[in-house]
Amino acid sequence: MNHIQQDPGQAEEIGKMLEPLIRRVIREELTRMAKTKPEIFYIDPDTPIYKDMEDIMQRRTQGKIKLHSHEEVWGD
C-alpha cells in the first residue's frame, strides 16, 4: 500500500491560504443567488428560524446585541 505522509503544519498553512478564497466564493455565490433568485431566501413566518430572526432584530433595536459589520465578517 502506498501511504502519503502529510506535515500537519503544511495542512494548517493550506487551510489558512484557502479560507479567504472560500469565504469570497461563498459570499459571491450567495449574493448572486439573492439577486437572481430572491424566492430562495423566503422564510416562512411560522418557522423557528423566522422567530429567532425576529428576536435578534428586536434585541438589536433595543441595543442588547451588537451585530458584526460586513468588513468584520468577511475581512474586506
Side-chain angles (χ1 to χ4, degrees):
M1 260 190 191
N2 291 336
H3 293 284
I4 299 174
Q5 291 183 337
Q6 185 174 347
D7 176 12
Q10 183 182 14
E12 188 174 321
E13 285 299 313
I14 291 170
K16 286 179 184 177
M17 290 176 5
L18 287 176
E19 184 178 355
L21 175 63
I22 292 167
R23 286 180 179 272
R24 190 179 84 217
V25 169
I26 290 171
R27 179 180 68 242
E28 289 172 358
E29 283 302 303
L30 286 175
T31 300
R32 183 187 63 78
M33 284 180 15
K35 288 179 181 176
T36 60
K37 298 187 182 270
E39 67 277 4
I40 289 176
F41 292 97
Y42 173 78
I43 300 174
D44 188 326
D46 293 329
T47 61
I49 193 166
Y50 187 92
K51 290 173 180 33
D52 289 343
M53 301 277 289
E54 278 188 318
D55 179 55
I56 291 168
M57 186 173 63
Q58 288 172 356
R59 287 189 287 149
R60 181 177 183 210
T61 303
Q62 296 168 354
K64 293 182 178 179
I65 61 170
K66 178 198 180 288
L67 299 179
H68 296 283
S69 69
H70 178 89
E71 184 175 298
E72 290 171 315
V73 173
W74 299 108
D76 54 34

